Amino acid sequence: MADSEPKVPNPRRADLEKLRSDLVKEVDALSKALKGPTEDIGGEKVWVGKNARAWHRELDGRHRKLGEQVGKLLPIIDAAIRNEPEKVSAAEARAYQKSI
């Protein structure tokens, strides 16, 4: 790459920023996705008994795990954005666009 080659906005960084923006809108819903069913089963509204309690424990664990995993997504994307330069050569931008 020649130093005199013009720089253009980095399309990979733009894609990561869009992903982050889209994810921010969904994080709350994703982290609470299993909350309702977990409460329903645990509250004995829809099912009672030994099996219901076992299912509630399983679902509660999955609900907590999902929340933890969703909470890790934004920091991972933020780190990826920080590692991307704002501008790249036109050739690098074209190569990225062709790769997706």
Side-chain angles (χ1 to χ4, degrees), residues 20-81:
R20 187 188 195 290
S21 174
D22 292 346
L23 184 60
V24 163
K25 297 172 192 170
E26 301 297 330
V27 163
D28 192 48
L30 287 169
S31 63
K32 293 179 181 175
L34 297 176
K35 184 178 182 182
T38 301
E39 289 174 352
D40 289 347
I41 291 174
E44 299 185 349
K45 293 179 185 177
V46 297
W47 194 10
V48 296
K50 180 178 148 186
N51 289 337
R53 287 188 296 277
W55 271 82
H56 170 72
R57 284 190 302 274
E58 174 73 20
L59 199 53
D60 187 53
R62 290 176 186 252
H63 166 67
R64 292 175 194 276
K65 183 74 170 175
L66 179 62
E68 291 169 10
Q69 295 301 314
V70 167
K72 294 176 183 178
L73 292 174
L74 288 174
I76 290 169
I77 294 170
D78 288 340
I81 291 169

